[in-house]
Amino acid sequence: MQREKVILIAVNPSQLQAALQFLALDRIALLAILMEDSSRNLAIGEMQLPVYPFSVLGGRLQTSEDTWWLICGWKQRIKETGDIASFMRKRGIPKGRIVNFSYGQALYPRWVANLRYAENHPIYAFATGISYTEVGLDWKEFENVHSGGVCVNLACTSQDLRLGYLTAKHVLERKEKGCIKFVLIGLAPYSLHYESTESFSGLCIPRQYEIALALSEDEICQREAVKKLMNHRMQAWVDAITEESVDRNNESFKDAFPQQYFSVQDLIGAEREAEEYHRKKFRQETIERNLQILEQYVGLCKAYETDPVVVIWPFSPNPHPAYPREMLVSFRVFLHQVQKRIPFRIVDMFDLPLGYDCFYNMGHLNKKGAALASKELVERLTRP
C-alpha cells in the first residue's frame, strides 16, 4: 500500500504530541516536522524524523506535489492557522494539499463533560454560542431567580450557529417536551457571517461535535484528506470524557481570565480588528444559510415547548466607534425578519454601558462583567 506523504508544521509545540496520536501512522509516511526548536531530530518509535525551522517554507525544502502539509495548533489565536496557510499558498504549495490538523487544540473536554451532564440529568435551561456566551453567561444569576433550576452552558469557542443548533437538537431530543424551560442562543453581530467550515482556521472545530453528538454522515463536514490521514483515537478521547468533570457555569474557564488592565496597544489593536470587518467580503449565501439555521433552531425549541431567547452580549467601550455600523444594523434587521416569521425573544445588550473593568479583552466579559450582564439579562427576561 502506498503511504500518504506528510509534513507536519508544529506551530504550537505543545500540540505536537496530540497531532502524532491522531495521525494514522500506519498509512502515512511522515517526512519531516517543522517547528521553532529545530536543533534536534525527533524520535517516533524507531524512526528518527528530521526537524526543520519554519524558514524552509520559503522554499528550501524540496517535496513532491502529492505531499500533505498539516498545520498543527496555534499560539494565541485560531486565525493564525489561516494566516500560515495563506503564506504557504503564496509560496506555491497547492491549497488542496494544506490541512488544518489542530484537533488537539480544538477539543474542549469541559464542553463534552457539560454535554454528558445535560444528556443524563433534568435541566431547566441551557445555552449555546461562541466564546462570548461561553464566558459572558453567569447561570448563578438565573438560579437565584429560578430556585432549584439546573442550567448548563453548552457554548464553546468557535461554535457557529449550525453547531449550536445541532447541540440543542441532540439535547432536546433526549428530553420530554416542556421540561427544558428556555434555551439561550448566544450571537454576536458577525455570527450570521460566520461558518466554521468556510474558513481554513475553523475546519478543525466541527470534529468534536461530529463525535460527541454522533452526527449522521449527511451532517458531517469532514474533508476526504482528513479521513485518509486521521486514525480513530480522537473518538476514544471524546468517549473517555464523562460528566464527572462537569463545569455547568464554566467557572474554571472564567477563573483563567481575571480583570485586565489594558495597554494603549490593546486599545489600538481592538480598533484595528474592528476595522478589519470593513474590508472583509461577506458572502450572502452564508448569511442566508445562517438565517435558515436560526429559523430551524427557533422552530426546534418551539416543537419541544421550550422558549428560545437570542442574546447579544456587550462589547467593551473602545470597539464601538470603529465597529461596522452597517453590519450591526443589518444583523438586527435580519433577526427581526426571522422574528416576524416565527416569534422569539431577543435580548440585545451590545450597547450595554459596561466599563473596561468588566472585560478580560475588548470583546469578552470577565467574571464581574458576566455577573452584571447576566443580571441585566434576567431582569429583561422577567419584565412583565
Side-chain angles (χ1 to χ4, degrees), residues 86-145:
S86 176
F87 177 88
M88 293 166 66
R89 290 195 299 270
K90 290 174 183 175
R91 278 144 187 84
I93 298 173
K95 177 181 179 180
R97 307 304 291 186
I98 306 171
V99 177
N100 188 343
F101 208 77
S102 306
Y103 292 103
Q105 211 161 347
L107 174 61
Y108 299 94
R110 182 189 64 259
W111 177 86
V112 180
N114 287 355
L115 177 72
R116 298 303 176 225
Y117 183 93
E119 291 172 345
N120 299 327
H121 297 273
I123 58 174
Y124 188 86
F126 66 87
T128 65
I130 53 176
S131 52
Y132 301 110
T133 306
E134 186 179 25
V135 296
L137 175 60
D138 187 348
W139 282 126
K140 293 192 292 293
E141 299 298 327
F142 288 80
E143 292 171 354
N144 290 338
V145 175

Side-chain angles (χ1 to χ4, degrees), residues 177-369:
K177 287 185 177 181
C179 72
I180 296 178
K181 301 307 177 186
F182 65 91
V183 174
L184 299 181
I185 306 171
L187 298 180
Y190 66 80
S191 291
L192 298 180
H193 301 272
Y194 170 61
E195 291 176 297
S196 59
T197 54
E198 290 299 308
S199 69
F200 182 88
S201 300
L203 288 173
C204 59
I205 297 299
R207 189 61 187 141
Q208 79 164 359
Y209 295 86
E210 293 166 357
I211 296 172
L213 303 178
L215 298 183
S216 62
E217 279 298 319
D218 62 333
E219 294 171 318
I220 290 176
C221 300
Q222 195 173 355
R223 288 177 61 190
E224 286 299 319
V226 176
K227 292 180 181 179
K228 290 181 181 179
L229 304 173
M230 197 174 194
N231 59 28
H232 298 290
R233 285 185 182 170
M234 189 171 179
Q235 175 86 50
W237 270 36
V238 174
D239 290 346
I241 300 170
T242 69
E243 66 176 63
E244 290 181 9
S245 53
V246 66
D247 186 1
R248 296 185 295 106
N249 202 36
N250 290 341
E251 295 289 353
S252 59
F253 188 52
K254 294 172 186 172
D255 286 341
F257 300 104
Q259 177 180 333
Q260 182 165 321
Y261 299 94
F262 298 108
S263 66
V264 172
Q265 287 77 13
D266 292 326
L267 301 177
I268 294 172
E271 189 167 287
R272 285 176 179 166
E273 187 173 331
E275 288 172 346
E276 281 182 18
Y277 287 113
H278 288 288
R279 297 190 293 271
K280 283 189 176 181
K281 294 180 180 179
F282 295 109
R283 300 171 60 187
Q284 186 62 31
E285 316 92 87
T286 301
I287 297 172
E288 290 172 0
R289 279 194 296 268
N290 276 319
L291 288 171
Q292 184 177 14
I293 291 169
L294 178 60
E295 193 164 339
Q296 289 175 330
Y297 197 159
V298 172
L300 172 74
C301 292
K302 289 181 174 292
Y304 281 90
E305 299 173 11
T306 298
D307 187 15
V309 181
V310 166
V311 181
I312 301 117
W313 297 96
F315 274 45
S316 67
N318 192 62
H320 278 77
Y323 208 92
R325 306 318 288 179
E326 182 181 345
M327 176 188 287
L328 190 57
V329 169
S330 63
F331 171 65
R332 287 166 170 159
V333 168
F334 286 135
L335 287 185
H336 288 297
Q337 287 175 351
V338 177
Q339 195 180 39
K340 286 180 181 178
R341 294 194 293 271
I342 180 167
F344 61 95
R345 287 191 284 178
I346 301 172
V347 178
D348 185 348
M349 298 186 290
F350 183 80
D351 296 312
L352 187 69
L354 296 179
Y356 288 117
D357 61 331
C358 291
F359 294 83
Y360 78 81
N361 65 22
M362 290 297 153
H364 294 82
L365 295 162
N366 58 24
K367 293 188 80 169
K368 176 182 177 180

